[in-house]
Amino acid sequence: MLWRSSQALRRFSTGRVYFQNKLKLALIGQSLFGQEVYSHLCRQGHRVVGVFTVPDKDGKADPLALAAEKNGTPVFKFPRWRAKGKTIKEVAEAYRSVGAELNVLPFCTQFIPMDVIESPKHGSIIYHPSILPRHRGASAINWTLIMGDKKAGFSVFWADDGLDTGPILLQRSCDVQPDDTVDALYNRFLFPEGIKAMVEAVQLIADGKAPRIPQSEEGATYEGIQKKENAEISWDQSAEDLHNWIRGHDKVPGAWTEINGQVVTFYGSSLLNSSVPPGEPLEIKGAKKPGLVTKNGLVLFGNDGKALMVRNLQFEDGKMIPASQYFAAGETSVVELTAEEVKVAETIKVIWAGILSNVPVIEDSTDFFKSGASSMDVARLVEEIRQKCGGLQLQNEDVYMATRFEDFIQKVVRKLRGEDQEEELVVDYVSKEVNEMTVKMPYQCFINGQFTDADDGKTYDTINPTDGSIICKVSYASLVDVDKAVAAAKDAFESGEWGRMNARERGRLMYRLADLLEENQEELATIEALDSGAVYTLALKTHIGMSVQTFRYFAGWCDKIQGSTIPINQARPNRNLTFTKKEPLGVCAIIIPWNYPLMMLAWKSAACLAAGNTLVLKPAQVTPLTALKFAELSVKAGFPKGVINIIPGSGGIAGQRLSEHPDIRKLGFTGSTLIGKQIMKSCAVSNLKKVSLELGGKSPLIIFNDCELDKAVRMGMGAVFFNKGENCIAAGRLFVEESIHDEFVTRVVEEIKKMKIGDPLDRSTDHGPQNHKAHLEKLLQYCEAGVKEGATLVYGGRQVQRPGFFMEPTVFTDVEDHMYLAKEESFGPIMVISKFQNGDIDGVLERANNTEYGLASGVFTSDINKAMYVSEKLEAGTVFINTYNKTDVAAPFGGFKQSGFGKDLGEEALNEYLKTKTVTLEY
């Protein structure tokens, strides 16, 4: 046990006792990577005696310098270390003054003299982003991709007088994914693992255990810095080689070619594994076959007949556009005014001059707001233009989006011509004639306002649980798709229209989206029935109906989010004002389950959007279709691009990447406790993102003998069988008082026999299929376990003999506290009944609370005092008294213990997506 305890301390302690041996270090270099290495070394107890970095650029210090200065570490900023081949005396003296025992060079662009390299007791170690001896030189990551290496990695080596030739201390490697870019490879592996490796390397040296493994010259390569003039694309290559060349130069210096006499740089390459989509040909200089401008990007062809796709193009003037908009961009980049439009422009200039009376002359560069205009002036401008320009109707937002006079005139002219409309959303539907209507279902990823195939072209089948048939193939989001979605959400939050939008306008969009959900409720309910097996009438009322209510409720909160003023002790003779602000978090990830696909989406995303965040949502893999239909409706409602992104796919790939992504600031998850724990760990390790979790449940329902029995039977059945038992707050265990136990069971069975099991689209159906085959099999195993342990199977417990994934509503009695059925959630139509002795209130409460879950609970009794006593003692986030399943958009919802933390719905849900900033000023 002593050995185990010491091992546990070494493994888990984050204090400075983790390592015994410490070194005095000099950090030489720069960048965020250097800053992180510095911070981690300090946290591990090493003493950084000096930081040697580059001078400030444009008045801004390097991140490494900022961190060191904040920590009180001596910082030296030298533009160079040598002059005329010799070490600068003042620089050498400053370096020697710190008395370092080891030089650590995490990332350094300066040439460091050998007398400095060899000066410390332990010499110097350097981080290099390749598996040496391959790719020595300054563009190692680029060349790893350009050369098509299947493995990437980094080396920490001992510095010598050669170029990346010193002995190896340690190396780490990873697989190169087919569509990795320099940024993707760096962010996924080289950056986070490199930081850990540098800290590990320093400790190995401190402990006297650091190896010095000579580099082999076999397989050694050296490549120089890639510059723009060397990055031109040679077209006589295979598609894979073209792809490697383009991604190896993404983002710097950028692979380029010539199109229509202009240099165009390509970004965002991926191999095209699916069929080539239709598009408009584009001649490219040197290419044997024209490219194709398609709705998803620019398709290029290798000399092997295979294809790749490029997502973004950059022109010589620095403007970057989606490759899919190449021809459209050429048409709308400059608006030439007609004589009539010139008159309109002159009229508007007079209006501007009247409002901006302090500005002598209105020029093209005049900025409306920087010249002193206020929000009241916006209303005046819009109204004057309407009166004096033939009824031209602008929106206030038009002024905010084009504040310079030249840009404003361009916007007005496009408005006059009808060219300013948002690009029409292109949707490839899967259509089905079902439920007396044509149902049109999007099936692709929804990223940055567009439906698009998964980056690698992969798809999967989504299944109709009613008969086991394939509804359609759905895009299977890759890591690249997740990163694109997060990037789009981040850009929308930081730079887009959404971030500048006022709260009431945000609310208006959410009200409009609620209206569209309601207008399309029959189609949405039909899709929900097809994809999840929900009974249509229930889907219409609950799945869709509550989604509409949720968006309307949170739309009303948008302009009511506020902080407070706080009286504090004054610093006499001055006075202070302290107040708080509630601010959005940024990009939020939402991962939802399969039991209420649209409603779970609404519960989380409505609060998220009302708070002003942007989101990336992953629906359950087995039920993606209503989420994708929701994405379509969000565009019709007017949500800007990038605010809402939907990525169907697996939890292991897309969900895991969301939990680890450094640009996500909050993750909301509903699902199992096991996965919730994994997500919480990933969120903590990655960037300590905020988390809210609604997890498993084993909700107790206590039925006393003084209850209204008819009501208890009816609502007890609803507590278990509602939505086929696929209900997070389902009563997982019923405790029925002994004197009414047998009658209660008899009545329940009688009512079950009246239930109609069948097609969820049949209006008379009470009970539809379970969500998917694997879940049905799990429920059958659950019943088998109950029988083996000695519980009495009173009714059901079998699969219904018909196509699809139907299960009989099931009742078990004589369930004892130690049994599997008493402890574990079924998440299906299985009623688990235990009896308790007459009058034993505290005893049944102890049994009810003897679970690690605490999501919901219920009690049926006619004694109000008993009801209130029980509600106080039950350890659950929700307690129902003489009712069940009664949730409301205004009432907070969430669990205790291993049922999670954080709230959906109600005002409290907003706080899950907000941060509080305290501001204090002196006056």
Side-chain angles (χ1 to χ4, degrees):
M1 285 304 293
L2 287 174
W3 180 86
R4 292 190 178 209
S5 297
S6 65
Q7 291 298 309
L9 178 63
R10 275 186 68 83
R11 185 175 179 187
F12 294 113
S13 174
T14 57
R16 295 193 174 191
V17 298
Y18 187 99
F19 296 122
Q20 293 181 351
N21 302 311
K22 307 297 175 189
L23 293 176
K24 292 191 291 184
L25 309 174
L27 249 72
I28 304 175
Q30 68 238 51
S31 78
L32 184 61
F33 183 73
Q35 175 195 340
E36 288 295 317
V37 171
Y38 165 83
S39 299
H40 280 70
L41 288 170
C42 290
R43 282 199 291 271
Q44 298 297 352
H46 295 286
R47 183 183 171 198
V48 180
V49 293
V51 165
F52 298 84
T53 187
V54 294
D56 296 354
K57 185 176 181 181
D58 298 328
K60 294 182 179 180
D62 183 80
L64 173 57
L66 287 172
E69 289 168 346
K70 183 178 180 180
N71 212 26
T73 302
V75 176
F76 305 86
K77 302 177 182 180
F78 300 128
R80 66 187 64 84
W81 290 70
R82 299 193 313 169
K84 298 181 179 180
K86 294 183 179 181
T87 306
I88 299 171
K89 181 180 178 182
E90 295 80 5
V91 175
E93 289 175 351
Y95 168 77
R96 283 193 294 270
S97 70
V98 302
E101 297 172 320
L102 174 69
N103 291 333
V104 179
L105 285 73
F107 175 75
C108 182
T109 58
Q110 296 177 313
F111 187 91
I112 311 302
M114 280 308 299
D115 55 341
V116 173
I117 292 292
E118 296 175 344
S119 176
K121 172 184 175 181
H122 297 291
S124 304
I125 60 170
I126 302 176
Y127 171 89
H128 185 79
S130 79
I131 307 173
L132 292 173
R134 189 162 174 80
H135 303 312
R136 294 169 176 164
S139 296
I141 311 177
N142 303 73
W143 284 103
T144 297
L145 296 175
I146 292 169
M147 301 301 291
D149 293 359
K150 301 303 181 185
K151 289 281 186 181
F154 57 80
S155 308
V156 180
F157 68 96
W158 299 92
D160 65 3
D161 59 358
L163 184 61
D164 303 331
T165 57
I168 301 298
L169 195 160
L170 61 79
Q171 291 181 320
R172 298 285 186 270
S173 66
C174 70
D175 293 333
V176 177
Q177 301 300 322
D179 293 328
D180 270 340
T181 62
V182 172
D183 284 351
L185 195 55
Y186 184 72
N187 292 331
R188 186 180 80 246
F189 184 80
L190 300 177
F191 181 87
E193 296 303 319
I195 294 165
K196 298 176 189 176
M198 288 298 282
V199 175
E200 181 182 347
V202 170
Q203 192 57 45
L204 286 171
I205 296 169
D207 293 339
K209 298 178 181 179
R212 292 176 179 263
I213 304 169
Q215 287 193 42
S216 170
E217 288 304 308
E218 183 179 349
T221 64
Y222 171 80
E223 296 93 9
I225 297 175
Q226 276 302 89
K227 297 181 179 179
K228 193 70 174 182
E229 57 265 28
N230 302 327
E232 183 177 4
I233 300 169
S234 173
W235 291 101
D236 191 18
Q237 302 181 74
S238 68
E240 184 173 0
D241 288 341
L242 289 171
H243 166 60
N244 289 335
W245 183 263
I246 294 169
R247 68 172 173 153
H249 291 84
D250 191 336
K251 300 281 189 186
V252 177
W256 60 275
T257 191
E258 192 174 314
I259 302 176
N260 294 329
Q262 185 178 20
V263 171
V264 179
T265 305
F266 292 170
Y267 296 110
S269 171
S270 60
L271 291 170
L272 190 64
N273 297 316
S274 55
S275 59
V276 176
E280 189 172 350
L282 177 65
E283 294 293 335
I284 301 172
K285 183 179 179 181
K288 295 182 179 179
K289 186 175 181 180
L292 280 178
V293 177
T294 73
K295 67 174 185 176
N296 294 325
L298 174 61
V299 176
L300 306 170
F301 299 92
N303 60 12
D304 56 353
K306 295 182 179 179
L308 62 148
M309 182 175 288
V310 170
R311 302 292 183 186
N312 298 304
L313 307 176
Q314 188 175 39
F315 299 104
E316 290 176 272
D317 61 2
K319 180 181 179 182
M320 184 178 287
I321 64 166
S324 59
Q325 296 179 12
Y326 178 83
F327 291 112
E331 294 167 3
T332 61
S333 57
V334 177
V335 175
E336 296 292 339
L337 274 60
T338 66
E340 191 62 34
E341 289 164 350
V342 169
K343 292 180 182 179
V344 172
E346 290 298 328
T347 300
I348 293 175
K349 180 176 284 190
V350 172
I351 296 171
W352 272 54
I355 295 172
L356 305 176
S357 56
N358 58 314
V359 178
V361 179
I362 302 297
E363 299 177 340
D364 286 347
S365 60
T366 300
D367 188 285
F368 193 68
F369 295 105
K370 289 180 181 179
S371 299
S374 66
S375 58
M376 287 297 295
D377 297 316
V378 173
R380 174 182 168 183
L381 176 61
V382 169
E383 284 303 305
E384 280 202 61
I385 289 175
R386 184 178 64 82
Q387 291 175 357
K388 298 177 180 178
C389 297
L392 175 61
Q393 185 62 62
L394 299 177
Q395 302 298 322
N396 290 1
E397 200 63 34
D398 294 328
V399 185
Y400 291 109
M401 296 297 292
T403 61
R404 293 171 67 250
F405 183 74
E406 181 181 31
D407 298 335
F408 186 74
I409 292 301
Q410 294 274 310
K411 191 167 192 66
V412 167
V413 171
R414 288 196 175 101
K415 178 82 72 172
L416 286 168
R417 298 179 183 180
E419 297 174 1
D420 70 324
Q421 300 300 315
E422 280 286 325
E423 178 185 351
E424 184 177 351
L425 180 67
V426 178
V427 188
D428 281 346
Y429 294 110
V430 170
S431 297
K432 288 188 177 295
E433 297 293 330
V434 62
N435 202 22
E436 299 182 354
M437 68 180 75
T438 301
V439 175
K440 300 170 72 174
M441 298 171 285
Y443 60 89
Q444 298 167 294
C445 300
F446 182 74
I447 300 173
N448 202 26
Q450 294 182 327
F451 284 104
T452 179
D453 291 334
D455 192 76
D456 56 10
K458 289 184 179 179
T459 61
Y460 69 95
D461 296 333
T462 186
I463 304 298
N464 183 346
T466 301
D467 58 11
S469 64
I470 296 172
I471 301 171
C472 64
K473 291 186 177 295
V474 177
S475 292
Y476 188 84
S478 67
L479 295 176
V480 174
D481 297 308
V482 177
D483 288 346
K484 288 178 181 177
V486 174
K490 184 179 181 183
D491 185 63
F493 180 78
E494 295 180 351
S495 308
E497 179 185 351
W498 182 256
R500 298 189 297 270
M501 188 177 293
N502 66 62
R504 288 181 184 171
E505 178 65 13
R506 196 162 67 236
R508 186 188 67 81
L509 292 181
M510 291 185 65
Y511 277 123
R512 175 61 180 144
L513 181 53
D515 291 344
L516 286 168
L517 291 171
E518 190 169 50
E519 289 170 17
N520 292 271
Q521 60 183 336
E522 288 86 2
E523 184 178 18
L524 287 164
T526 302
I527 296 173
E528 201 93 321
L530 289 174
D531 206 23
S532 76
V535 172
Y536 175 77
T537 50
L538 175 65
L540 199 61
K541 177 182 181 296
T542 302
H543 291 230
I544 314 305
M546 196 170 187
S547 300
V548 173
Q549 293 173 26
T550 303
F551 269 94
R552 286 197 175 127
Y553 174 81
F554 283 107
W557 267 109
C558 288
D559 61 354
K560 300 172 187 67
I561 298 169
Q562 53 191 314
S564 59
T565 56
I566 302 170
I568 65 171
N569 289 335
Q570 306 296 335
R572 297 177 180 176
N574 300 312
R575 297 180 64 80
N576 301 100
L577 171 65
T578 295
F579 61 92
T580 60
K581 297 173 63 182
K582 298 287 188 179
E583 297 181 347
L585 298 169
V587 180
C588 298
I590 293 173
I591 302 175
I592 57 173
W594 41 258
N595 56 329
Y596 295 103
L598 187 65
M599 193 173 80
M600 291 295 99
L601 176 154
W603 280 23
K604 294 189 187 299
S605 63
C608 174
L609 294 168
N613 302 285
T614 56
L615 65 87
V616 179
L617 182 140
K618 193 199 86 64
Q621 184 172 345
V622 292
T623 54
L625 296 180
T626 43
L628 294 170
K629 189 68 178 180
F630 168 85
E632 178 193 352
L633 296 178
S634 74
V635 176
K636 292 182 178 179
F639 278 78
K641 291 181 178 180
V643 175
I644 295 170
N645 303 272
I646 310 290
I647 47 168
S650 74
I653 295 176
Q656 183 65 27
R657 177 56 178 157
L658 288 173
S659 67
E660 295 173 343
H661 203 291
D663 289 333
I664 289 174
R665 293 299 169 191
K666 159 70 196 281
L667 190 146
F669 171 76
T670 295
S672 73
T673 297
L674 177 64
I675 300 301
K677 290 179 178 180
Q678 294 176 1
I679 285 175
M680 190 173 176
K681 181 179 179 181
S682 297
C683 289
V685 171
S686 55
N687 63 340
L688 210 63
K689 56 177 65 70
K690 190 174 182 179
V691 184
S692 57
L693 303 171
E694 193 248 284
L695 308 176
K698 188 67 176 173
S699 302
L701 174 57
I702 303 172
I703 301 175
F704 288 99
N705 59 15
D706 61 353
C707 71
E708 184 183 333
L709 191 57
D710 288 342
K711 184 177 183 181
V713 168
R714 185 177 70 255
M715 290 199 164
M717 290 183 64
V720 177
F721 301 126
F722 188 80
N723 200 47
K724 311 161 294 173
E726 295 167 353
N727 185 19
C728 50
I729 58 172
R733 191 177 181 192
L734 275 67
F735 295 92
V736 182
E737 200 159 6
E738 190 172 20
S739 60
I740 62 168
H741 173 274
D742 293 349
E743 184 179 359
F744 179 87
V745 173
T746 299
R747 290 198 190 186
V748 165
V749 172
E750 288 174 354
E751 292 302 317
I752 288 176
K753 291 177 180 178
K754 299 174 186 176
M755 292 172 64
K756 179 179 178 181
I757 302 173
D759 184 351
L761 291 174
D762 184 336
R763 304 307 192 266
S764 63
T765 294
D766 298 302
H767 189 80
Q770 304 309 135
N771 187 276
H772 51 282
K773 184 178 181 181
H775 183 55
L776 172 62
E777 292 170 349
K778 176 185 170 186
L779 293 175
L780 295 173
Q781 291 170 4
Y782 186 91
C783 292
E784 290 174 6
V787 172
K788 287 179 181 178
E789 283 194 309
T792 301
L793 177 60
V794 177
Y795 190 87
R798 297 168 300 182
Q799 181 176 357
V800 178
Q801 295 305 304
R802 57 170 290 163
F805 312 136
F806 291 85
M807 181 176 178
E808 295 175 337
T810 299
V811 178
F812 277 98
T813 60
D814 302 318
V815 178
E816 298 179 13
D817 294 352
H818 68 274
M819 292 181 177
Y820 181 78
L821 267 62
K823 295 180 178 181
E824 296 301 323
E825 179 182 29
S826 72
F827 212 67
I830 302 173
M831 182 177 284
V832 175
I833 304 176
S834 300
K835 69 173 64 171
F836 67 95
Q837 291 181 357
N838 294 331
D840 189 10
I841 299 175
D842 289 327
V844 74
L845 279 169
E846 182 178 353
R847 296 171 70 190
N849 288 328
N850 186 25
T851 172
E852 275 301 301
Y853 301 111
L855 188 57
S857 60
V859 55
F860 280 85
T861 176
S862 59
D863 185 337
I864 188 61
N865 293 320
K866 184 192 298 183
M868 295 307 297
Y869 176 78
V870 170
S871 70
E872 288 177 7
K873 297 297 183 180
L874 284 170
E875 298 169 0
T878 297
V879 180
F880 297 108
I881 300 176
N882 293 330
T883 187
Y884 209 89
N885 286 325
K886 179 57 181 174
T887 55
D888 188 88
V889 293
F893 179 92
F896 298 163
K897 298 188 284 190
Q898 291 198 46
S899 288
F901 52 83
K903 297 295 182 182
D904 291 325
L905 304 179
E907 182 181 1
E908 286 194 39
L910 288 168
N911 294 324
E912 302 295 333
Y913 297 93
L914 292 165
K915 57 188 177 186
T916 302
K917 178 182 288 183
T918 301
V919 180
T920 299
L921 63 89
E922 187 174 275
Y923 62 95

